[in-house]
Amino acid sequence: NAGVMQNPRHLVRRRGQEARLRCSPMKGHSHVYWYRQLPEEGLKFMVYLQKENIIDESGMPKERFSAEFPKEGPSILRIQQVVRGDSAAYFCASSQDYDQPQHFGDGTRLSIL
Amino acid sequence: DAKTTQPTSMDCAEGRAANLPCNHSTISGNEYVYWYRQIHSQGPQYIIHGLKNNETNEMASLIITEDRKSSTLILPHATLRDTAVYYCIASRQAGTALIFGKGTTLSVSS
């Protein structure tokens, strides 16, 4: 039973570049959540998606960040024109249905040079 | 979602039971108590959740007081691999963001 798969595990970008983080949910899961963990801080919710729909994006920064979960393929968190403050661990979670527990991947560590 | 309060840190001897407390005095009737843990550099791991009845699974037991204002996560026989940060979260079950606080750092030693 494969868990939530995130790739890459580590990503290095220079300021101004784009970062694309991928998340493949557990088999049979159609709900995806993205969280961000800044150094020495707790996880903060960013966005909740269900296939092809954004359900809740209340935690997403207003600019440069976007997320999608297409009908086919993984969920993508995209950060345009990255800045040093975007350096963090980004975690994806999935659930089978809206009322089931969320299960997390091991994250993507994003470092901005 | 209701705020939760947990001790900053706890120690436990290997093989003994680890009892991790959590206060959630403002929890509302439709909020569940979830427990997750995060081992260094890994993603949070779901442990257990409950509404008002005590729950048990292969990992742990969850004891919720009758007034639902507090709960205790019990790891019956702690091992070194249980060393982690444990998060208690009160949340509506239906597709909502989990709000992670600072959690309790549990250190299990031999």
Side-chain angles (χ1 to χ4, degrees), chain B residues 1-36:
Chain B
D1 292 340
K3 179 179 169 58
T4 61
T5 304
Q6 299 177 252
T8 302
S9 62
M10 294 184 64
D11 295 318
C12 181
E14 190 177 22
R16 304 297 293 267
N19 298 299
L20 290 87
C22 179
N23 286 325
H24 31 79
S25 57
T26 61
I27 196 168
S28 60
N30 65 348
E31 287 184 312
Y32 286 70
V33 179
Y34 287 85
W35 283 86
Y36 282 79

Side-chain angles (χ1 to χ4, degrees), chain A residues 35 37 45 98-99 102 106 109, chain B residues 36 41 43 93 95-98:
Chain A
Y35 293 79
Q37 187 170 32
F45 167 76
Y98 71 97
D99 62 347
Q102 298 173 35
D106 279 336
R109 270 81 184 163
Chain B
Y36 282 79
S41 80
Q93 193 177 33
T96 59
L98 296 173

